[in-house]
């Protein structure tokens, strides 16, 4: 999976670069060797202490070796990646907490009395959370590749034989159309309540930002392709659209890919927002620019949540189709 490893790094790096460019910040602000090396060293230490380092050999093997791996190897590799995700999560929250405790402890002496700018210091504090999202994207992509291989290894013989489509009176377009209309109506109502009524302005256009949409959607589907789940994801959409019954293997594959994409959307949204904040705080010359730039950077999380909301009906439908019995 060495190719998938490299491609994942390229996609994640492209996403970071695009977010920094759109936020108007400094690219050097998000790459700090010390802030990355310290939590990464702790991660390596935990892996070595757990004796789990041997379980990562499949990550750096060729595609043919992954396909030929037995079930125990696949499960050990998946377990190792789970350990990385959990450990990285804890480590990357400890370091910001250390920084925040010290930052507020010396705030009066360092910032107030000496009138020093604290924005770059605050950016350094939140850097580990940014690294948490970025490396978790990498770990999740590799884990999804292994999970797909594990599901296919245990697949029943009838996996290739598709279960016939249910006999229904056409595709239920009415439900889809009503859902879209209700979603649009709900969005307009929320905008009215939170924008127009409170602030008296009609600035709904601020929520439409093409660079932010590209930052969230394009890398997510690229990572979906790297994990080998691209075709499977669209197969799940097709199955849901035509109401085709699903077997156990299809359910596991489809739900796994949908949930993987949900996590990727959220991690990209959060990491993109943090990238914008960090780059902006390192290059903040005028405090008046802070609020508008913060508004733009938060849009990526807004899109990530909205996309997750759109995937929920698909997830529910796949569960339903797998439970249908003759």
């Amino acid at each position: 999976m060495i190719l998938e490893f490299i491609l994942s790094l390229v996609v994640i790096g492209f996403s970071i670069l695009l977010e920094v460019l759109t936020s108007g910040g400094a690219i050097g602000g998000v790459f700090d060797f010390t802030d990355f090396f310290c939590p990464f060293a702790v991660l390596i230490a935990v892996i070595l202490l757990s004796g789990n380092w041997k379980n990562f050999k499949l990550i750096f093997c060729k595609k043919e070796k992954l396909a030929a791996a037995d079930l125990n190897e696949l499960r050990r590799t998946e377990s190792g990646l789970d350990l990385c995700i959990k450990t990285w999560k804890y480590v990357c929250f400890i370091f910001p907490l250390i920084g925040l405790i010290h930052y507020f402890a010396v705030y009066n002496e360092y910032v107030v009395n000496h009138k020093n700018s604290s924005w770059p210091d605050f950016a350094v504090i939140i850097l580990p959370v940014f690294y948490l999202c970025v490396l978790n994207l990498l770990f999740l992509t590799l884990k999804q590749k292994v999970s797909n291989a594990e599901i296919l290894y245990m697949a029943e013989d009838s996996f290739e034989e598709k279960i016939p489509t249910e006999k229904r009176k056409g595709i239920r377009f009415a439900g889809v159309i009503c859902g879209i209309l209700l979603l649009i109506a709900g969005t307009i109502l929320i905008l009215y309540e939170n924008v127009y009524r409170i602030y008296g302005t009609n600035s709904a256009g601020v929520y439409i930002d093409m660079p932010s949409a590209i930052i969230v959607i394009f890398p997510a589907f690229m990572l979906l392709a790297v994990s080998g789940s691209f075709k499977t994801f669209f197969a799940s959409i097709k199955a849901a659209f035509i109401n085709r019954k699903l077997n156990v293997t299809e359910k596991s594959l489809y739900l796994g890919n949908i949930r993987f994409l949900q996590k990727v959307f959220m991690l990209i949204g959060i990491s993109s927002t943090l990238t914008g904040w960090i780059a902006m705080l390192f290059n903040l010359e005028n405090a008046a620019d802070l609020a508008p730039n913060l508004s733009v950077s938060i849009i990526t999380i807004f899109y990530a949540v909205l996309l997750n909301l759109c995937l929920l009906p698909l997830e529910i439908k796949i569960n339903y189709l797998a439970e249908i019995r003759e």
Side-chain angles (χ1 to χ4, degrees), residues 4-298:
E4 286 81 0
F5 182 83
I6 295 172
L7 288 175
S8 298
L9 288 177
V10 171
V11 172
I12 294 168
F14 171 79
S15 175
I16 294 170
L17 178 61
L18 189 58
E19 176 59 32
V20 172
L21 292 175
T22 55
S23 67
I27 187 67
V30 297
F31 296 104
D32 186 283
F33 177 77
T34 304
D35 276 280
F36 176 78
F37 176 77
C38 292
F40 190 75
V42 175
L43 172 66
I44 298 299
V46 170
I47 292 173
L48 292 175
L49 288 171
S50 69
N52 211 34
W53 57 273
K54 293 181 180 179
N55 297 340
F56 294 93
K57 60 182 181 180
L58 281 182
I59 294 176
F60 304 102
C61 73
K62 294 181 179 179
K63 184 178 180 180
E64 294 77 15
K65 188 172 181 181
L66 176 66
D70 60 33
L71 187 58
N72 287 331
E73 287 181 305
L74 293 171
R75 284 179 172 173
R76 284 197 299 267
T77 304
E78 187 176 16
S79 174
L81 289 167
D82 274 331
L83 173 66
C84 284
I85 292 171
K86 291 177 182 177
T87 305
W88 192 245
K89 189 184 302 180
Y90 291 127
V91 169
C92 287
F93 276 115
I94 287 174
F95 280 84
L97 290 174
I98 293 171
L100 282 173
I101 292 169
H102 186 75
Y103 178 82
F104 289 120
V106 301
Y107 183 81
N108 289 333
E109 177 185 352
Y110 179 68
V111 179
V112 177
N113 294 339
H114 293 83
K115 296 181 180 179
N116 290 325
S117 174
S118 60
W119 295 119
D121 298 326
F122 196 79
V124 171
I125 289 173
I126 62 177
L127 263 174
V129 183
F130 161 71
Y131 294 139
L132 162 68
C133 297
V134 169
L135 272 197
N136 262 0
L137 281 171
L138 176 63
F139 295 145
L140 280 173
T141 303
L142 296 175
K143 181 187 173 184
Q144 186 62 27
K145 184 79 174 179
V146 176
S147 296
N148 287 342
E150 186 178 337
I151 292 170
L152 291 173
Y153 185 94
M154 297 186 296
E156 61 269 26
D157 295 334
S158 60
F159 173 61
E160 295 298 332
E161 299 176 4
K162 304 296 183 183
I163 300 177
T165 305
E166 263 195 289
K167 291 183 179 179
R168 298 197 175 188
K169 295 179 180 179
I171 300 170
R172 295 188 173 180
F173 289 105
V176 176
I177 293 172
C178 288
I180 294 173
L181 291 176
L182 283 172
L183 182 61
I184 294 173
T187 304
I188 293 173
L189 182 61
I190 291 172
L191 289 175
Y192 173 78
E193 285 292 318
N194 291 277
V195 178
Y196 184 76
R197 188 177 64 83
I198 296 176
Y199 300 104
T201 60
N202 187 18
S203 56
V206 73
Y207 296 96
I208 302 173
D209 188 75
M210 284 304 297
S212 296
I214 293 171
I215 287 169
V216 176
I217 296 173
F218 180 73
F221 279 96
M222 287 296 293
L223 290 176
L224 189 71
V226 169
S227 70
S229 307
F230 195 80
K231 291 182 178 179
T232 310
F233 173 72
F234 285 99
S236 67
I237 295 176
K238 181 180 178 181
F241 193 70
I242 64 175
N243 294 315
R244 181 173 64 80
K245 295 178 184 179
L246 304 176
N247 58 36
V248 176
T249 302
E250 288 174 319
K251 176 187 175 182
S252 299
L253 278 175
Y254 294 169
L255 287 180
N257 293 330
I258 292 167
R259 289 164 183 167
F260 165 70
L261 193 57
Q262 289 173 330
K263 292 176 183 177
V264 169
F265 277 143
M266 287 307 303
L267 285 173
I268 291 177
I270 295 170
S271 64
S272 297
T273 295
L274 290 174
T275 304
W277 289 0
I278 293 165
M280 179 178 54
L281 292 175
F282 269 110
N283 198 36
L284 188 63
E285 297 178 355
N286 185 2
D289 296 333
L290 181 60
N293 288 336
L294 284 174
S295 173
V296 173
S297 64
I298 294 173

